[in-house]
Amino acid sequence: MGTLSFDVAHLLAGGLVLVSFMMLYQDRLYALLNVFALHAVVLALSVAWQAYVQHAPHLYVTAAIALLFKGMVIPFALHRMVIRLGIHREIETVVGVGMTMLAGMGLVALSMVVMLRVTPTADPLAREDLAFALSVLLLGLLIMVTRRNAVSQVVGFMSLENGLVLAATGAKGMPLVVEISVAFSILIAFIVIGIFLFRIRERFDTVDIGALDDFRGERR
Amino acid sequence: MDVIADLTVQGVQMALVLLLAPLLTGFVRKLKAHLVRRQGPSVFQPYRDLLRLLRKEVVLAENASWLFRVAPYLIFAATWVAAALVPTFATGLVFSWSADLIAIIALLGSARFFLALAGLDVGTSFGGIGSSREMLIGTLAEPAMIMIVFTLALIAGSTQLATMADYMLSPAVGLRVSLGLSLIALIMVAIAENARIPVDNPATHLELTMVHEAMVLEYSGRHLAMIELAAALKLQLYISLIACLFAPWGLARDGGGIAAYAVGIAFFIVKLAVGGLLLALFETAIAKMRVFRVPEFLGAALMLGLLGTLLLFVSKGL
């Protein structure tokens, strides 16, 4: 494998981690959604590059799905949803951005330590992709944990899924059927989450998850 | 003879940075004025300002100590030495061995220290608030800068700027995420250190936000000229540092001869112009942020530097 192909793959996968950090940094919903669209675009580029390097044409389909659904349809739908919920001006984070970023750094370091220890004999490209994918996944979880607003938790969930796709394309030989079914299950999950959002909103007049805790009788 | 030639080249470098610095500041101001459809002063206005200030009488506060009078010269000297150490048009200068990135950061750090002390010295409330904010920014910008230096030093295998620039010119560099991350982090640090717009705006005297201006409010005459010149030099230093590390094309190699040096100088001026243009575009496109958002901004720079260092361990090279 040539240096250039490795370098570009490295660049794109590293860029995905960086965009995850940008998502962690945003404290406004609109900006968060825009960065999420960027995340999907970087993912699509990364997957397309893997398809080119591995000579696996079916990965182009995955890239197209990522670009079309996660890069355009879902951010657009979320934009409309945010406007309809009337929360497009809100700022929401649980703890300060600085602490969140530090926690994120810790997670990235952790995933690298784990992946580099576990896979010393694997192909360097796959190995590095796995390390990056694990960090994107953990950062997605961190976004879900540090946000109170249900919409940004959905974004965290979607970015977590982007990490899974990155891992799947790095490890060669995921069948197309699986990819398509994963993509569609995400779409279904998105629709279900969207319906839930409006239900939560109807019930509690807010999409702040803190309201659910009160409902269950747990006081903070 | 060699020694004399080497020393001449080094002298040219020192003179060049000193002469070009006000021009760069004037150029950025002119561009910014044009971008908002104003005429703007001539690009040579900073020279005129400096000459005017040098001719003017110094007005000192009654309770100003010797420190207040000495600080401008110390600040200017430290900044000039630091700016002269960055390879601008040639890498193999006589004092290249001392052009260590950490030494340059230390020089800038001591300049900042004296500026903050001078701000506190007269005992006005503005000076105090300026110094306090400057130290807040400094304590956050320096770790970020150090992380960037670590990343670059791990890639190039040295903290010496000349060696780094040579390595960046060689094909061994390749495409690396870490380099991109440290470039962005370095730009963020440079913006904060030079009191440019999202962090501070030296063109206004608005007490809510001013940092750099608040510290130098009490200065006048030649002292103010020294400080203004040091500020211009610092801006030029950061642009040439970024150019030397990330765009080292056209740098004259060791013993390149007159022609190579001339090409190097031409490239350097073009790089400064491009840097100034990008800075002006960025500054007109963005709004000033609140002072208390600056830690987040610099925290992001620190995070990028740290991420760059971490990602180095994943890439094949290390």
Side-chain angles (χ1 to χ4, degrees):
Chain A
M1 188 170 293
T3 333
L4 181 71
S5 65
F6 178 84
D7 279 346
V8 173
H10 178 72
L11 197 70
L12 289 170
L16 204 61
V17 176
L18 182 64
V19 179
S20 281
F21 268 101
M22 281 168 67
M23 259 198 264
L24 214 51
Y25 181 77
Q26 303 301 331
D27 53 5
R28 279 173 199 264
L29 271 178
Y30 257 26
L32 184 71
L33 293 180
N34 292 339
V35 178
F36 171 65
L38 179 68
H39 200 261
V41 170
V42 175
L43 176 77
L45 282 177
S46 173
V47 173
W49 181 256
Q50 291 280 357
Y52 173 70
V53 169
Q54 297 180 10
H55 306 292
H58 66 276
L59 282 182
Y60 284 120
V61 180
T62 317
I65 291 176
L67 187 65
L68 196 67
F69 284 111
K70 292 197 204 115
M72 296 172 190
V73 175
I74 291 182
F76 181 69
L78 278 174
H79 260 284
R80 289 198 51 189
M81 200 182 273
V82 164
I83 292 176
R84 276 185 60 195
L85 289 171
I87 50 175
H88 54 284
R89 285 192 176 276
E90 269 175 45
I91 301 171
E92 46 82 39
T93 38
V94 174
V95 284
V97 169
M99 289 313 293
T100 321
M101 297 287 244
L102 278 182
M105 289 311 306
L107 288 179
V108 172
L110 179 76
S111 69
M112 298 211 164
V113 168
V114 169
M115 274 303 163
L116 297 184
R117 286 270 167 77
V118 171
T119 58
T121 53
D123 172 43
L125 186 57
R127 189 180 171 203
E128 171 216 67
D129 252 3
L130 281 179
F132 282 135
L134 185 59
S135 23
V136 171
L137 208 145
L138 289 176
L139 286 174
L141 280 174
L142 187 65
I143 294 171
M144 289 179 77
V145 168
T146 54
R147 303 294 171 129
R148 300 168 62 172
N149 189 312
V151 176
S152 40
Q153 291 187 351
V154 173
V155 172
F157 173 68
M158 297 278 160
S159 77
L160 183 155
E161 203 269 347
N162 285 354
L164 285 180
V165 172
L166 184 69
T169 51
K172 296 169 190 172
M174 183 159 103
L176 184 61
V177 183
V178 178
E179 278 163 32
I180 291 179
S181 63
V182 166
F184 274 98
S185 66
I186 287 300
L187 204 61
I188 301 295
F190 173 73
I191 294 167
V192 171
I193 290 167
I195 295 168
F196 260 115
L197 268 181
F198 282 99
R199 297 293 297 230
I200 293 171
R201 160 85 166 179
E202 257 170 44
R203 185 109 192 165
F204 299 105
D205 278 339
T206 172
V207 279
D208 189 333
I209 297 301
L212 291 180
D213 289 347
D214 292 344
F215 184 68
R216 284 200 310 222
E218 292 171 11
R219 294 275 156 215
R220 300 212 228 193
Chain B
M1 279 310 282
D2 271 0
V3 179
I4 296 174
D6 284 351
L7 282 178
T8 318
V9 175
Q10 184 70 52
V12 168
Q13 149 100 344
M14 291 196 79
L16 190 73
V17 290
L18 191 62
L19 288 178
L20 281 181
L23 186 63
L24 176 68
T25 311
F27 179 64
V28 174
R29 279 188 199 152
K30 182 84 177 170
L31 276 178
K32 280 178 72 177
H34 269 299
L35 283 171
V36 292
R37 294 278 175 118
R38 283 191 282 115
Q39 187 68 43
S42 144
V43 283
F44 297 106
Q45 189 63 37
Y47 294 103
R48 289 183 206 137
D49 287 347
L50 287 174
L51 286 177
R52 181 174 50 93
L53 283 173
L54 282 177
R55 277 200 300 269
K56 280 199 171 184
E57 185 191 3
V58 170
V59 181
L60 278 178
E62 268 179 29
N63 45 359
S65 70
W66 60 272
L67 187 70
F68 189 75
R69 274 170 280 134
V70 174
Y73 301 105
L74 287 173
I75 294 163
F76 171 69
T79 318
W80 191 17
V81 170
L85 284 180
V86 178
T88 53
F89 65 93
T91 54
L93 296 178
V94 199
F95 293 118
S96 285
W97 55 271
S98 60
D100 195 286
L101 250 181
I102 295 177
I104 288 173
I105 297 172
L107 278 169
L108 289 178
S110 48
R112 183 212 304 284
F113 172 70
F114 281 111
L115 190 60
L117 274 189
L120 289 170
D121 187 61
V122 188
T124 61
S125 49
F126 274 154
I129 201 172
S131 299
S132 135
R133 285 175 177 172
E134 176 80 5
M135 288 336 265
L136 169 76
I137 292 174
T139 45
L140 290 161
E142 257 164 42
M145 189 71 193
I146 291 290
M147 283 322 296
I148 298 162
V149 173
F150 280 162
T151 313
L152 294 173
L154 277 171
I155 291 176
S158 160
T159 51
Q160 262 181 35
L161 272 172
T163 323
M164 277 186 184
D166 276 339
Y167 184 82
M168 295 293 167
L169 269 176
S170 71
V173 185
L175 215 56
R176 285 171 195 259
V177 192
S178 307
L179 278 179
L181 293 180
S182 31
L183 172 63
I184 300 172
L186 186 56
I187 291 172
M188 289 168 92
V189 169
I191 285 169
E193 289 267 3
N194 284 300
R196 303 310 297 199
I197 260 186
V199 175
D200 181 15
N201 184 3
T204 63
H205 291 266
L206 188 67
E207 60 264 34
L208 268 177
T209 58
M210 63 184 179
V211 181
H212 179 264
E213 274 307 296
M215 281 185 293
V216 303
L217 263 185
E218 294 290 324
Y219 275 113
S220 57
R222 53 176 192 275
H223 293 158
L224 187 58
M226 287 291 114
I227 286 180
E228 296 274 322
L229 192 53
L233 271 171
K234 200 172 173 185
L235 175 65
Q236 191 206 32
L237 183 152
Y238 271 96
I239 291 185
S240 51
L241 185 67
I242 292 170
C244 148
L245 287 175
F246 295 98
W249 307 291
L251 277 179
R253 297 301 188 89
D254 224 344
I258 304 279
Y261 287 137
V263 171
I265 291 176
F267 262 95
F268 175 54
I269 291 173
V270 170
K271 282 182 215 167
L272 279 187
V274 171
L277 175 69
L278 292 178
L279 180 67
L281 282 177
F282 178 71
E283 280 198 300
T284 36
I286 205 158
K288 166 98 179 57
M289 64 170 81
R290 286 166 58 221
V291 173
F292 297 107
R293 287 208 28 120
V294 172
E296 275 178 25
F297 180 76
L298 284 171
L302 174 63
M303 190 276 306
L304 287 174
L306 207 60
L307 197 61
T309 317
L310 274 179
L311 293 192
L312 262 189
F313 289 94
V314 194
S315 65
K316 188 175 54 176
L318 209 80

